Amino acid sequence: MKADLHMHSTFSDGTRTTEELFQIAKENQVDLISITDHDICTSIDVNRRLSKHYGVAYIPGIELSTLMNHKPVHILGYFTDDSYQSKSMMEYYVFIRNSRLNRVNKFIENLKKYFDIEITYDQVISYSNGIVARPHIAKAIQANYPQYSFDTIFEEFIGDNSVAFVPSSKLSVQEGIDLLRKNHCVIVLAHPTLLHPSIKETVLNFQYDGLEAIYFRNKPGEEEAFRNLAQARNMIITGGSDYHGIKNDTKHGDIGETGIAGLDYEAYITFYENKVKK
């Protein structure tokens, strides 16, 4: 059995519909997926029907945006009941949508100020089908400046370490964990390998249920280190492709390329099902 527990659809910054995600998972012989769109968990009833149709098990998920010392920290939440539609989550969806829309305007200002790159708000919004994220900004830049690749745009202009970077949320790591805990999620720190070195140790010390220790951008020796940390703290291990479906994108994998299998899969399922029973 194999699971890919991290991917994105057109409801955030992915290029594929949720049905296409199920189709690809089926083709790639993935048994279980979680669609973890940025700061939104929606279309659950449709996804459950798709799950039955394609024979691919499904867990509703979300990738929450938080901050530590002005650096981004992403936290994966896997809902064990219908709390994805609770009052507090619904309020969060509205809050983060407005925050991300304001973020677009700030990015536009910064891109002009620091790099003399000009894009418009309407351009960015035209690429979005839901939550607005940086890939939509990247598409607007590519449309106006085709000489820049997707990777170049992220690394030089809109990445976490760029002078033009604007965070998507003011939610702290602990606030994010508390929100997911309140809404009955299995809580996992996403791609710890991508944490900024200045916050890495602090962020790793928060109380998660698990670590996304299996990630295709891990540096040599990191998976083992994350596994050892998880074992020492009695946490589960997860993994996922972080699939976005973006052409010529080296930052994310294909569905099923990275995930959990064997004992990792069994441990995750056992932990998740025990949470469901509570």
PDB file of all heavy atoms in Angstrom, residues 9-17 37-38 40 96-98 100-101 103-104 120-140:
ATOM      1  N   SER A   9      -4.550  21.265  -5.776  1.00  0.00           N
ATOM      2  CA  SER A   9      -5.471  21.311  -6.906  1.00  0.00           C
ATOM      3  C   SER A   9      -5.704  22.758  -7.342  1.00  0.00           C
ATOM      4  O   SER A   9      -5.093  23.686  -6.817  1.00  0.00           O
ATOM      5  CB  SER A   9      -6.809  20.676  -6.508  1.00  0.00           C
ATOM      6  OG  SER A   9      -7.581  21.575  -5.716  1.00  0.00           O
ATOM      7  N   THR A  10      -6.617  22.931  -8.277  1.00  0.00           N
ATOM      8  CA  THR A  10      -6.954  24.273  -8.753  1.00  0.00           C
ATOM      9  C   THR A  10      -7.662  25.107  -7.692  1.00  0.00           C
ATOM     10  O   THR A  10      -7.884  26.305  -7.892  1.00  0.00           O
ATOM     11  CB  THR A  10      -7.843  24.197 -10.000  1.00  0.00           C
ATOM     12  OG1 THR A  10      -8.953  23.325  -9.751  1.00  0.00           O
ATOM     13  CG2 THR A  10      -7.059  23.677 -11.193  1.00  0.00           C
ATOM     14  N   PHE A  11      -8.018  24.498  -6.561  1.00  0.00           N
ATOM     15  CA  PHE A  11      -8.614  25.286  -5.477  1.00  0.00           C
ATOM     16  C   PHE A  11      -7.567  26.139  -4.762  1.00  0.00           C
ATOM     17  O   PHE A  11      -7.914  27.055  -4.011  1.00  0.00           O
ATOM     18  CB  PHE A  11      -9.331  24.384  -4.474  1.00  0.00           C
ATOM     19  CG  PHE A  11     -10.663  23.893  -4.975  1.00  0.00           C
ATOM     20  CD1 PHE A  11     -10.865  22.556  -5.240  1.00  0.00           C
ATOM     21  CD2 PHE A  11     -11.710  24.780  -5.191  1.00  0.00           C
ATOM     22  CE1 PHE A  11     -12.082  22.096  -5.713  1.00  0.00           C
ATOM     23  CE2 PHE A  11     -12.939  24.333  -5.665  1.00  0.00           C
ATOM     24  CZ  PHE A  11     -13.125  22.984  -5.930  1.00  0.00           C
ATOM     25  N   SER A  12      -6.270  25.832  -4.974  1.00  0.00           N
ATOM     26  CA  SER A  12      -5.225  26.742  -4.491  1.00  0.00           C
ATOM     27  C   SER A  12      -4.256  26.989  -5.640  1.00  0.00           C
ATOM     28  O   SER A  12      -4.642  27.617  -6.633  1.00  0.00           O
ATOM     29  CB  SER A  12      -4.544  26.222  -3.221  1.00  0.00           C
ATOM     30  OG  SER A  12      -3.849  25.016  -3.431  1.00  0.00           O
ATOM     31  N   ASP A  13      -3.030  26.484  -5.569  1.00  0.00           N
ATOM     32  CA  ASP A  13      -2.057  26.829  -6.596  1.00  0.00           C
ATOM     33  C   ASP A  13      -1.667  25.655  -7.487  1.00  0.00           C
ATOM     34  O   ASP A  13      -0.647  25.702  -8.173  1.00  0.00           O
ATOM     35  CB  ASP A  13      -0.814  27.455  -5.972  1.00  0.00           C
ATOM     36  CG  ASP A  13      -0.151  26.538  -4.951  1.00  0.00           C
ATOM     37  OD1 ASP A  13      -0.735  25.491  -4.618  1.00  0.00           O
ATOM     38  OD2 ASP A  13       0.950  26.880  -4.487  1.00  0.00           O
ATOM     39  N   GLY A  14      -2.480  24.607  -7.519  1.00  0.00           N
ATOM     40  CA  GLY A  14      -2.258  23.510  -8.450  1.00  0.00           C
ATOM     41  C   GLY A  14      -2.910  23.797  -9.794  1.00  0.00           C
ATOM     42  O   GLY A  14      -3.785  24.661  -9.906  1.00  0.00           O
ATOM     43  N   THR A  15      -2.498  23.053 -10.809  1.00  0.00           N
ATOM     44  CA  THR A  15      -3.052  23.254 -12.155  1.00  0.00           C
ATOM     45  C   THR A  15      -4.060  22.176 -12.531  1.00  0.00           C
ATOM     46  O   THR A  15      -4.657  22.238 -13.604  1.00  0.00           O
ATOM     47  CB  THR A  15      -1.932  23.251 -13.213  1.00  0.00           C
ATOM     48  OG1 THR A  15      -1.306  21.957 -13.235  1.00  0.00           O
ATOM     49  CG2 THR A  15      -0.886  24.317 -12.903  1.00  0.00           C
ATOM     50  N   ARG A  16      -4.258  21.178 -11.678  1.00  0.00           N
ATOM     51  CA  ARG A  16      -5.160  20.070 -11.968  1.00  0.00           C
ATOM     52  C   ARG A  16      -6.393  20.119 -11.073  1.00  0.00           C
ATOM     53  O   ARG A  16      -6.311  20.488  -9.893  1.00  0.00           O
ATOM     54  CB  ARG A  16      -4.440  18.737 -11.740  1.00  0.00           C
ATOM     55  CG  ARG A  16      -3.177  18.558 -12.564  1.00  0.00           C
ATOM     56  CD  ARG A  16      -3.477  18.255 -14.009  1.00  0.00           C
ATOM     57  NE  ARG A  16      -2.285  17.853 -14.726  1.00  0.00           N
ATOM     58  CZ  ARG A  16      -2.282  17.252 -15.912  1.00  0.00           C
ATOM     59  NH1 ARG A  16      -3.434  16.983 -16.506  1.00  0.00           N
ATOM     60  NH2 ARG A  16      -1.149  16.933 -16.494  1.00  0.00           N
ATOM     61  N   THR A  17      -7.526  19.715 -11.631  1.00  0.00           N
ATOM     62  CA  THR A  17      -8.741  19.603 -10.833  1.00  0.00           C
ATOM     63  C   THR A  17      -8.592  18.434  -9.867  1.00  0.00           C
ATOM     64  O   THR A  17      -7.718  17.570 -10.039  1.00  0.00           O
ATOM     65  CB  THR A  17      -9.964  19.360 -11.721  1.00  0.00           C
ATOM     66  OG1 THR A  17      -9.826  18.081 -12.375  1.00  0.00           O
ATOM     67  CG2 THR A  17     -10.111  20.462 -12.765  1.00  0.00           C
ATOM     68  N   ASP A  37      -4.757  21.497  -0.159  1.00  0.00           N
ATOM     69  CA  ASP A  37      -4.652  22.833  -0.737  1.00  0.00           C
ATOM     70  C   ASP A  37      -4.280  23.861   0.322  1.00  0.00           C
ATOM     71  O   ASP A  37      -4.583  23.703   1.504  1.00  0.00           O
ATOM     72  CB  ASP A  37      -5.961  23.214  -1.415  1.00  0.00           C
ATOM     73  CG  ASP A  37      -6.072  22.619  -2.816  1.00  0.00           C
ATOM     74  OD1 ASP A  37      -5.099  22.754  -3.578  1.00  0.00           O
ATOM     75  OD2 ASP A  37      -7.103  22.007  -3.131  1.00  0.00           O
ATOM     76  N   HIS A  38      -3.634  24.928  -0.136  1.00  0.00           N
ATOM     77  CA  HIS A  38      -3.178  25.977   0.769  1.00  0.00           C
ATOM     78  C   HIS A  38      -4.358  26.711   1.399  1.00  0.00           C
ATOM     79  O   HIS A  38      -5.151  27.355   0.705  1.00  0.00           O
ATOM     80  CB  HIS A  38      -2.290  26.981   0.036  1.00  0.00           C
ATOM     81  CG  HIS A  38      -0.979  26.427  -0.407  1.00  0.00           C
ATOM     82  ND1 HIS A  38       0.058  26.219   0.469  1.00  0.00           N
ATOM     83  CD2 HIS A  38      -0.533  26.020  -1.617  1.00  0.00           C
ATOM     84  CE1 HIS A  38       1.095  25.716  -0.185  1.00  0.00           C
ATOM     85  NE2 HIS A  38       0.755  25.577  -1.455  1.00  0.00           N
ATOM     86  N   ILE A  40      -7.238  26.093   2.495  1.00  0.00           N
ATOM     87  CA  ILE A  40      -8.641  25.834   2.166  1.00  0.00           C
ATOM     88  C   ILE A  40      -8.858  24.320   2.120  1.00  0.00           C
ATOM     89  O   ILE A  40      -7.982  23.572   1.683  1.00  0.00           O
ATOM     90  CB  ILE A  40      -9.038  26.472   0.813  1.00  0.00           C
ATOM     91  CG1 ILE A  40     -10.539  26.372   0.568  1.00  0.00           C
ATOM     92  CG2 ILE A  40      -8.261  25.869  -0.333  1.00  0.00           C
ATOM     93  CD1 ILE A  40     -11.371  27.308   1.370  1.00  0.00           C
ATOM     94  N   ILE A  96      -8.014  34.256   5.481  1.00  0.00           N
ATOM     95  CA  ILE A  96      -6.807  34.023   4.694  1.00  0.00           C
ATOM     96  C   ILE A  96      -7.014  34.411   3.246  1.00  0.00           C
ATOM     97  O   ILE A  96      -6.085  34.873   2.568  1.00  0.00           O
ATOM     98  CB  ILE A  96      -6.338  32.551   4.813  1.00  0.00           C
ATOM     99  CG1 ILE A  96      -4.863  32.417   4.384  1.00  0.00           C
ATOM    100  CG2 ILE A  96      -7.224  31.616   4.014  1.00  0.00           C
ATOM    101  CD1 ILE A  96      -3.891  33.113   5.306  1.00  0.00           C
ATOM    102  N   ARG A  97      -8.238  34.252   2.741  1.00  0.00           N
ATOM    103  CA  ARG A  97      -8.503  34.673   1.358  1.00  0.00           C
ATOM    104  C   ARG A  97      -8.273  36.182   1.223  1.00  0.00           C
ATOM    105  O   ARG A  97      -7.598  36.640   0.290  1.00  0.00           O
ATOM    106  CB  ARG A  97      -9.934  34.320   0.954  1.00  0.00           C
ATOM    107  CG  ARG A  97     -10.323  34.846  -0.425  1.00  0.00           C
ATOM    108  CD  ARG A  97     -11.728  34.424  -0.822  1.00  0.00           C
ATOM    109  NE  ARG A  97     -12.149  35.103  -2.040  1.00  0.00           N
ATOM    110  CZ  ARG A  97     -11.791  34.765  -3.268  1.00  0.00           C
ATOM    111  NH1 ARG A  97     -10.990  33.728  -3.448  1.00  0.00           N
ATOM    112  NH2 ARG A  97     -12.216  35.429  -4.327  1.00  0.00           N
ATOM    113  N   ASN A  98      -8.804  36.952   2.161  1.00  0.00           N
ATOM    114  CA  ASN A  98      -8.621  38.405   2.122  1.00  0.00           C
ATOM    115  C   ASN A  98      -7.157  38.777   2.304  1.00  0.00           C
ATOM    116  O   ASN A  98      -6.646  39.694   1.652  1.00  0.00           O
ATOM    117  CB  ASN A  98      -9.473  39.069   3.196  1.00  0.00           C
ATOM    118  CG  ASN A  98     -10.953  38.959   2.910  1.00  0.00           C
ATOM    119  OD1 ASN A  98     -11.363  38.825   1.754  1.00  0.00           O
ATOM    120  ND2 ASN A  98     -11.783  39.017   3.953  1.00  0.00           N
ATOM    121  N   ARG A 100      -4.566  36.989   1.475  1.00  0.00           N
ATOM    122  CA  ARG A 100      -3.819  36.656   0.261  1.00  0.00           C
ATOM    123  C   ARG A 100      -4.100  37.649  -0.875  1.00  0.00           C
ATOM    124  O   ARG A 100      -3.219  37.926  -1.688  1.00  0.00           O
ATOM    125  CB  ARG A 100      -4.136  35.226  -0.170  1.00  0.00           C
ATOM    126  CG  ARG A 100      -3.404  34.173   0.665  1.00  0.00           C
ATOM    127  CD  ARG A 100      -3.779  32.763   0.230  1.00  0.00           C
ATOM    128  NE  ARG A 100      -2.974  31.754   0.896  1.00  0.00           N
ATOM    129  CZ  ARG A 100      -1.808  31.306   0.475  1.00  0.00           C
ATOM    130  NH1 ARG A 100      -1.283  31.797  -0.644  1.00  0.00           N
ATOM    131  NH2 ARG A 100      -1.152  30.372   1.131  1.00  0.00           N
ATOM    132  N   LEU A 101      -5.312  38.167  -0.937  1.00  0.00           N
ATOM    133  CA  LEU A 101      -5.622  39.172  -1.949  1.00  0.00           C
ATOM    134  C   LEU A 101      -4.831  40.461  -1.688  1.00  0.00           C
ATOM    135  O   LEU A 101      -4.293  41.074  -2.622  1.00  0.00           O
ATOM    136  CB  LEU A 101      -7.122  39.460  -1.972  1.00  0.00           C
ATOM    137  CG  LEU A 101      -8.005  38.330  -2.521  1.00  0.00           C
ATOM    138  CD1 LEU A 101      -9.484  38.681  -2.362  1.00  0.00           C
ATOM    139  CD2 LEU A 101      -7.690  38.039  -3.987  1.00  0.00           C
ATOM    140  N   ARG A 103      -2.059  40.529  -0.178  1.00  0.00           N
ATOM    141  CA  ARG A 103      -0.674  40.149  -0.436  1.00  0.00           C
ATOM    142  C   ARG A 103      -0.299  40.360  -1.908  1.00  0.00           C
ATOM    143  O   ARG A 103       0.829  40.762  -2.215  1.00  0.00           O
ATOM    144  CB  ARG A 103      -0.495  38.676  -0.060  1.00  0.00           C
ATOM    145  CG  ARG A 103       0.883  38.100  -0.286  1.00  0.00           C
ATOM    146  CD  ARG A 103       0.816  36.594  -0.226  1.00  0.00           C
ATOM    147  NE  ARG A 103       2.106  35.965  -0.045  1.00  0.00           N
ATOM    148  CZ  ARG A 103       2.358  34.699  -0.358  1.00  0.00           C
ATOM    149  NH1 ARG A 103       1.391  33.933  -0.850  1.00  0.00           N
ATOM    150  NH2 ARG A 103       3.559  34.187  -0.149  1.00  0.00           N
ATOM    151  N   VAL A 104      -1.229  40.098  -2.813  1.00  0.00           N
ATOM    152  CA  VAL A 104      -0.966  40.280  -4.235  1.00  0.00           C
ATOM    153  C   VAL A 104      -0.554  41.720  -4.522  1.00  0.00           C
ATOM    154  O   VAL A 104       0.429  41.981  -5.233  1.00  0.00           O
ATOM    155  CB  VAL A 104      -2.202  39.890  -5.077  1.00  0.00           C
ATOM    156  CG1 VAL A 104      -1.986  40.277  -6.549  1.00  0.00           C
ATOM    157  CG2 VAL A 104      -2.480  38.398  -4.969  1.00  0.00           C
ATOM    158  N   THR A 120      -0.095  43.141 -13.197  1.00  0.00           N
ATOM    159  CA  THR A 120      -1.294  43.767 -12.648  1.00  0.00           C
ATOM    160  C   THR A 120      -2.053  42.791 -11.758  1.00  0.00           C
ATOM    161  O   THR A 120      -1.928  41.565 -11.883  1.00  0.00           O
ATOM    162  CB  THR A 120      -2.242  44.244 -13.757  1.00  0.00           C
ATOM    163  OG1 THR A 120      -2.800  43.103 -14.435  1.00  0.00           O
ATOM    164  CG2 THR A 120      -1.509  45.130 -14.753  1.00  0.00           C
ATOM    165  N   TYR A 121      -2.842  43.375 -10.884  1.00  0.00           N
ATOM    166  CA  TYR A 121      -3.704  42.589  -9.983  1.00  0.00           C
ATOM    167  C   TYR A 121      -4.637  41.695 -10.785  1.00  0.00           C
ATOM    168  O   TYR A 121      -4.796  40.507 -10.489  1.00  0.00           O
ATOM    169  CB  TYR A 121      -4.490  43.541  -9.097  1.00  0.00           C
ATOM    170  CG  TYR A 121      -5.436  42.893  -8.114  1.00  0.00           C
ATOM    171  CD1 TYR A 121      -4.992  42.499  -6.854  1.00  0.00           C
ATOM    172  CD2 TYR A 121      -6.774  42.686  -8.443  1.00  0.00           C
ATOM    173  CE1 TYR A 121      -5.855  41.911  -5.944  1.00  0.00           C
ATOM    174  CE2 TYR A 121      -7.646  42.104  -7.533  1.00  0.00           C
ATOM    175  CZ  TYR A 121      -7.183  41.712  -6.294  1.00  0.00           C
ATOM    176  OH  TYR A 121      -8.051  41.128  -5.400  1.00  0.00           O
ATOM    177  N   ASP A 122      -5.256  42.262 -11.824  1.00  0.00           N
ATOM    178  CA  ASP A 122      -6.195  41.483 -12.637  1.00  0.00           C
ATOM    179  C   ASP A 122      -5.510  40.315 -13.333  1.00  0.00           C
ATOM    180  O   ASP A 122      -6.109  39.242 -13.484  1.00  0.00           O
ATOM    181  CB  ASP A 122      -6.873  42.386 -13.676  1.00  0.00           C
ATOM    182  CG  ASP A 122      -7.870  43.343 -13.047  1.00  0.00           C
ATOM    183  OD1 ASP A 122      -8.290  43.092 -11.894  1.00  0.00           O
ATOM    184  OD2 ASP A 122      -8.216  44.347 -13.691  1.00  0.00           O
ATOM    185  N   GLN A 123      -4.274  40.502 -13.757  1.00  0.00           N
ATOM    186  CA  GLN A 123      -3.522  39.405 -14.362  1.00  0.00           C
ATOM    187  C   GLN A 123      -3.391  38.241 -13.389  1.00  0.00           C
ATOM    188  O   GLN A 123      -3.661  37.083 -13.729  1.00  0.00           O
ATOM    189  CB  GLN A 123      -2.115  39.876 -14.740  1.00  0.00           C
ATOM    190  CG  GLN A 123      -1.962  40.439 -16.129  1.00  0.00           C
ATOM    191  CD  GLN A 123      -0.506  40.725 -16.435  1.00  0.00           C
ATOM    192  OE1 GLN A 123       0.128  41.560 -15.777  1.00  0.00           O
ATOM    193  NE2 GLN A 123       0.036  40.033 -17.399  1.00  0.00           N
ATOM    194  N   VAL A 124      -2.956  38.551 -12.183  1.00  0.00           N
ATOM    195  CA  VAL A 124      -2.748  37.501 -11.182  1.00  0.00           C
ATOM    196  C   VAL A 124      -4.047  36.777 -10.879  1.00  0.00           C
ATOM    197  O   VAL A 124      -4.109  35.543 -10.880  1.00  0.00           O
ATOM    198  CB  VAL A 124      -2.155  38.097  -9.890  1.00  0.00           C
ATOM    199  CG1 VAL A 124      -2.039  37.023  -8.808  1.00  0.00           C
ATOM    200  CG2 VAL A 124      -0.789  38.723 -10.163  1.00  0.00           C
ATOM    201  N   ILE A 125      -5.113  37.529 -10.641  1.00  0.00           N
ATOM    202  CA  ILE A 125      -6.399  36.931 -10.291  1.00  0.00           C
ATOM    203  C   ILE A 125      -6.933  36.060 -11.414  1.00  0.00           C
ATOM    204  O   ILE A 125      -7.599  35.042 -11.171  1.00  0.00           O
ATOM    205  CB  ILE A 125      -7.419  38.040  -9.933  1.00  0.00           C
ATOM    206  CG1 ILE A 125      -6.923  38.847  -8.729  1.00  0.00           C
ATOM    207  CG2 ILE A 125      -8.787  37.437  -9.634  1.00  0.00           C
ATOM    208  CD1 ILE A 125      -6.640  38.029  -7.500  1.00  0.00           C
ATOM    209  N   SER A 126      -6.630  36.405 -12.648  1.00  0.00           N
ATOM    210  CA  SER A 126      -7.134  35.636 -13.786  1.00  0.00           C
ATOM    211  C   SER A 126      -6.617  34.205 -13.810  1.00  0.00           C
ATOM    212  O   SER A 126      -7.225  33.320 -14.418  1.00  0.00           O
ATOM    213  CB  SER A 126      -6.758  36.330 -15.101  1.00  0.00           C
ATOM    214  OG  SER A 126      -5.371  36.210 -15.375  1.00  0.00           O
ATOM    215  N   TYR A 127      -5.494  33.955 -13.157  1.00  0.00           N
ATOM    216  CA  TYR A 127      -4.918  32.613 -13.127  1.00  0.00           C
ATOM    217  C   TYR A 127      -5.427  31.780 -11.954  1.00  0.00           C
ATOM    218  O   TYR A 127      -5.111  30.599 -11.831  1.00  0.00           O
ATOM    219  CB  TYR A 127      -3.390  32.691 -13.057  1.00  0.00           C
ATOM    220  CG  TYR A 127      -2.754  33.256 -14.304  1.00  0.00           C
ATOM    221  CD1 TYR A 127      -2.118  34.497 -14.277  1.00  0.00           C
ATOM    222  CD2 TYR A 127      -2.808  32.569 -15.509  1.00  0.00           C
ATOM    223  CE1 TYR A 127      -1.540  35.029 -15.414  1.00  0.00           C
ATOM    224  CE2 TYR A 127      -2.222  33.091 -16.655  1.00  0.00           C
ATOM    225  CZ  TYR A 127      -1.603  34.317 -16.602  1.00  0.00           C
ATOM    226  OH  TYR A 127      -1.032  34.845 -17.737  1.00  0.00           O
ATOM    227  N   SER A 128      -6.200  32.396 -11.078  1.00  0.00           N
ATOM    228  CA  SER A 128      -6.640  31.715  -9.856  1.00  0.00           C
ATOM    229  C   SER A 128      -8.079  31.230  -9.968  1.00  0.00           C
ATOM    230  O   SER A 128      -8.946  31.911 -10.514  1.00  0.00           O
ATOM    231  CB  SER A 128      -6.515  32.667  -8.657  1.00  0.00           C
ATOM    232  OG  SER A 128      -7.127  32.118  -7.516  1.00  0.00           O
ATOM    233  N   ASN A 129      -8.303  30.038  -9.397  1.00  0.00           N
ATOM    234  CA  ASN A 129      -9.650  29.483  -9.332  1.00  0.00           C
ATOM    235  C   ASN A 129     -10.147  29.418  -7.893  1.00  0.00           C
ATOM    236  O   ASN A 129     -11.229  28.911  -7.628  1.00  0.00           O
ATOM    237  CB  ASN A 129      -9.658  28.068  -9.945  1.00  0.00           C
ATOM    238  CG  ASN A 129     -11.058  27.496 -10.072  1.00  0.00           C
ATOM    239  OD1 ASN A 129     -11.970  28.176 -10.529  1.00  0.00           O
ATOM    240  ND2 ASN A 129     -11.222  26.243  -9.663  1.00  0.00           N
ATOM    241  N   GLY A 130      -9.352  29.907  -6.965  1.00  0.00           N
ATOM    242  CA  GLY A 130      -9.710  29.837  -5.546  1.00  0.00           C
ATOM    243  C   GLY A 130      -8.752  30.683  -4.734  1.00  0.00           C
ATOM    244  O   GLY A 130      -8.682  31.902  -4.890  1.00  0.00           O
ATOM    245  N   ILE A 131      -7.985  30.038  -3.862  1.00  0.00           N
ATOM    246  CA  ILE A 131      -6.980  30.733  -3.072  1.00  0.00           C
ATOM    247  C   ILE A 131      -5.860  31.236  -3.991  1.00  0.00           C
ATOM    248  O   ILE A 131      -5.326  30.483  -4.804  1.00  0.00           O
ATOM    249  CB  ILE A 131      -6.398  29.789  -1.997  1.00  0.00           C
ATOM    250  CG1 ILE A 131      -7.457  29.471  -0.942  1.00  0.00           C
ATOM    251  CG2 ILE A 131      -5.167  30.393  -1.353  1.00  0.00           C
ATOM    252  CD1 ILE A 131      -7.856  30.647  -0.072  1.00  0.00           C
ATOM    253  N   VAL A 132      -5.497  32.512  -3.853  1.00  0.00           N
ATOM    254  CA  VAL A 132      -4.440  33.091  -4.685  1.00  0.00           C
ATOM    255  C   VAL A 132      -3.086  32.826  -4.026  1.00  0.00           C
ATOM    256  O   VAL A 132      -2.897  33.097  -2.841  1.00  0.00           O
ATOM    257  CB  VAL A 132      -4.655  34.601  -4.865  1.00  0.00           C
ATOM    258  CG1 VAL A 132      -3.567  35.186  -5.754  1.00  0.00           C
ATOM    259  CG2 VAL A 132      -6.028  34.878  -5.448  1.00  0.00           C
ATOM    260  N   ALA A 133      -2.145  32.328  -4.821  1.00  0.00           N
ATOM    261  CA  ALA A 133      -0.839  31.966  -4.279  1.00  0.00           C
ATOM    262  C   ALA A 133       0.271  32.396  -5.232  1.00  0.00           C
ATOM    263  O   ALA A 133       0.013  32.898  -6.336  1.00  0.00           O
ATOM    264  CB  ALA A 133      -0.779  30.458  -4.019  1.00  0.00           C
ATOM    265  N   ARG A 134       1.501  32.161  -4.810  1.00  0.00           N
ATOM    266  CA  ARG A 134       2.637  32.647  -5.596  1.00  0.00           C
ATOM    267  C   ARG A 134       2.727  32.094  -7.023  1.00  0.00           C
ATOM    268  O   ARG A 134       3.156  32.832  -7.923  1.00  0.00           O
ATOM    269  CB  ARG A 134       3.943  32.372  -4.831  1.00  0.00           C
ATOM    270  CG  ARG A 134       4.202  33.394  -3.752  1.00  0.00           C
ATOM    271  CD  ARG A 134       5.507  33.145  -3.036  1.00  0.00           C
ATOM    272  NE  ARG A 134       5.464  31.961  -2.201  1.00  0.00           N
ATOM    273  CZ  ARG A 134       6.507  31.476  -1.531  1.00  0.00           C
ATOM    274  NH1 ARG A 134       7.682  32.086  -1.621  1.00  0.00           N
ATOM    275  NH2 ARG A 134       6.376  30.424  -0.763  1.00  0.00           N
ATOM    276  N   PRO A 135       2.351  30.836  -7.279  1.00  0.00           N
ATOM    277  CA  PRO A 135       2.383  30.377  -8.672  1.00  0.00           C
ATOM    278  C   PRO A 135       1.523  31.214  -9.612  1.00  0.00           C
ATOM    279  O   PRO A 135       1.836  31.338 -10.801  1.00  0.00           O
ATOM    280  CB  PRO A 135       1.873  28.936  -8.576  1.00  0.00           C
ATOM    281  CG  PRO A 135       2.333  28.486  -7.243  1.00  0.00           C
ATOM    282  CD  PRO A 135       2.118  29.703  -6.361  1.00  0.00           C
ATOM    283  N   HIS A 136       0.451  31.810  -9.090  1.00  0.00           N
ATOM    284  CA  HIS A 136      -0.370  32.684  -9.927  1.00  0.00           C
ATOM    285  C   HIS A 136       0.392  33.972 -10.244  1.00  0.00           C
ATOM    286  O   HIS A 136       0.287  34.509 -11.357  1.00  0.00           O
ATOM    287  CB  HIS A 136      -1.685  32.996  -9.219  1.00  0.00           C
ATOM    288  CG  HIS A 136      -2.444  31.768  -8.820  1.00  0.00           C
ATOM    289  ND1 HIS A 136      -2.877  31.552  -7.529  1.00  0.00           N
ATOM    290  CD2 HIS A 136      -2.818  30.672  -9.540  1.00  0.00           C
ATOM    291  CE1 HIS A 136      -3.499  30.383  -7.474  1.00  0.00           C
ATOM    292  NE2 HIS A 136      -3.476  29.832  -8.673  1.00  0.00           N
ATOM    293  N   ILE A 137       1.158  34.452  -9.267  1.00  0.00           N
ATOM    294  CA  ILE A 137       2.008  35.619  -9.506  1.00  0.00           C
ATOM    295  C   ILE A 137       3.101  35.262 -10.514  1.00  0.00           C
ATOM    296  O   ILE A 137       3.416  36.047 -11.420  1.00  0.00           O
ATOM    297  CB  ILE A 137       2.620  36.119  -8.185  1.00  0.00           C
ATOM    298  CG1 ILE A 137       1.509  36.580  -7.227  1.00  0.00           C
ATOM    299  CG2 ILE A 137       3.628  37.235  -8.428  1.00  0.00           C
ATOM    300  CD1 ILE A 137       1.990  36.903  -5.824  1.00  0.00           C
ATOM    301  N   ALA A 138       3.657  34.054 -10.368  1.00  0.00           N
ATOM    302  CA  ALA A 138       4.702  33.603 -11.292  1.00  0.00           C
ATOM    303  C   ALA A 138       4.181  33.521 -12.726  1.00  0.00           C
ATOM    304  O   ALA A 138       4.890  33.887 -13.677  1.00  0.00           O
ATOM    305  CB  ALA A 138       5.229  32.240 -10.842  1.00  0.00           C
ATOM    306  N   LYS A 139       2.943  33.062 -12.894  1.00  0.00           N
ATOM    307  CA  LYS A 139       2.365  32.984 -14.244  1.00  0.00           C
ATOM    308  C   LYS A 139       2.208  34.369 -14.861  1.00  0.00           C
ATOM    309  O   LYS A 139       2.450  34.557 -16.063  1.00  0.00           O
ATOM    310  CB  LYS A 139       1.017  32.276 -14.184  1.00  0.00           C
ATOM    311  CG  LYS A 139       1.100  30.775 -13.970  1.00  0.00           C
ATOM    312  CD  LYS A 139      -0.281  30.144 -13.994  1.00  0.00           C
ATOM    313  CE  LYS A 139      -0.200  28.639 -13.814  1.00  0.00           C
ATOM    314  NZ  LYS A 139      -1.549  28.008 -13.849  1.00  0.00           N
ATOM    315  N   ALA A 140       1.809  35.339 -14.040  1.00  0.00           N
ATOM    316  CA  ALA A 140       1.682  36.709 -14.535  1.00  0.00           C
ATOM    317  C   ALA A 140       3.047  37.255 -14.958  1.00  0.00           C
ATOM    318  O   ALA A 140       3.164  37.937 -15.987  1.00  0.00           O
ATOM    319  CB  ALA A 140       1.047  37.594 -13.469  1.00  0.00           C
TER     320      ALA A 140
END
